[in-house]
Amino acid sequence: VMTHWEVYAWNRDWPQFHALYSRFPRVTFIWPHAGFASADQVHTVLSSHANVIVTLSKKEKDPGGLSSEEKSKMLGGAIVDSCGKLLPEWRVLLEKYPGRFMFATDAHKDFRWAKYESVVKHWRLILGQLPGSIAQAVAWDNAVRVYGAPR
């Protein structure tokens, strides 16, 4: 089940999602845009619920794409530094929960499709900083497992 949540209002939303994930422990929930959250928030969700898989689409903080400056301030920072290096707190999460992350692009509008190639290229650079087995899990193995699609 896809649960669309962008953590603009963590204190309001987390108790509700926590209750939902707890109520249905045998259901796999996919949390898109988890890259909007802080590493601590993602750790809270993953450590509390083994039935949640996250995607890191929209992992870059892009205030121009948000409806308000206030929402932008409520988001966690990007998972990489200004040079594209994976931040230590995100590396720890990816290494601790390698089966719980999936690559995603969120290409659902024309302007996002126009950036698709650069998003994929950026993700290849990020995944290239991880051990091969973790990079492969995030890039496609986890999606194959979750969706049951052939590789």
Side-chain angles (χ1 to χ4, degrees), residues 12 14 19 29-30 37 51-52 59 71 75 77 96 108 112 122 130 132 136-137:
R12 179 197 69 196
W14 167 236
F29 291 95
I30 299 168
N51 59 332
V52 176
K59 86 230 159 289
K71 282 185 178 180
L75 301 177
K96 184 172 183 173
H108 63 93
R112 292 202 184 277
H122 190 119
L130 295 167
Q136 183 173 321

Side-chain angles (χ1 to χ4, degrees), residues 34-98:
F36 272 161
S38 69
D40 286 341
Q41 290 167 330
V42 172
H43 181 260
T44 295
V45 174
L46 294 181
S47 65
S48 300
H49 300 285
N51 59 332
V52 176
I53 308 290
V54 302
T55 75
L56 294 173
S57 59
K58 293 187 178 178
K59 86 230 159 289
E60 60 281 337
K61 195 171 182 180
D62 181 12
L66 299 172
S67 59
S68 76
E69 188 175 323
E70 183 179 16
K71 282 185 178 180
S72 179
K73 291 178 182 176
M74 294 178 193
L75 301 177
I79 68 168
V80 295
D81 66 17
S82 60
C83 295
K85 184 176 179 189
L86 187 61
L87 295 172
E89 60 269 26
W90 284 98
R91 177 182 292 280
V92 166
L93 285 175
L94 288 158
E95 290 177 348
K96 184 172 183 173
Y97 301 104

Side-chain angles (χ1 to χ4, degrees), residues 2-17:
M2 182 82 67
T3 53
H4 191 267
W5 178 29
E6 296 179 349
V7 302
Y8 296 122
W10 173 264
N11 292 332
R12 179 197 69 196
D13 295 341
W14 167 236
Q16 303 301 320
F17 281 102

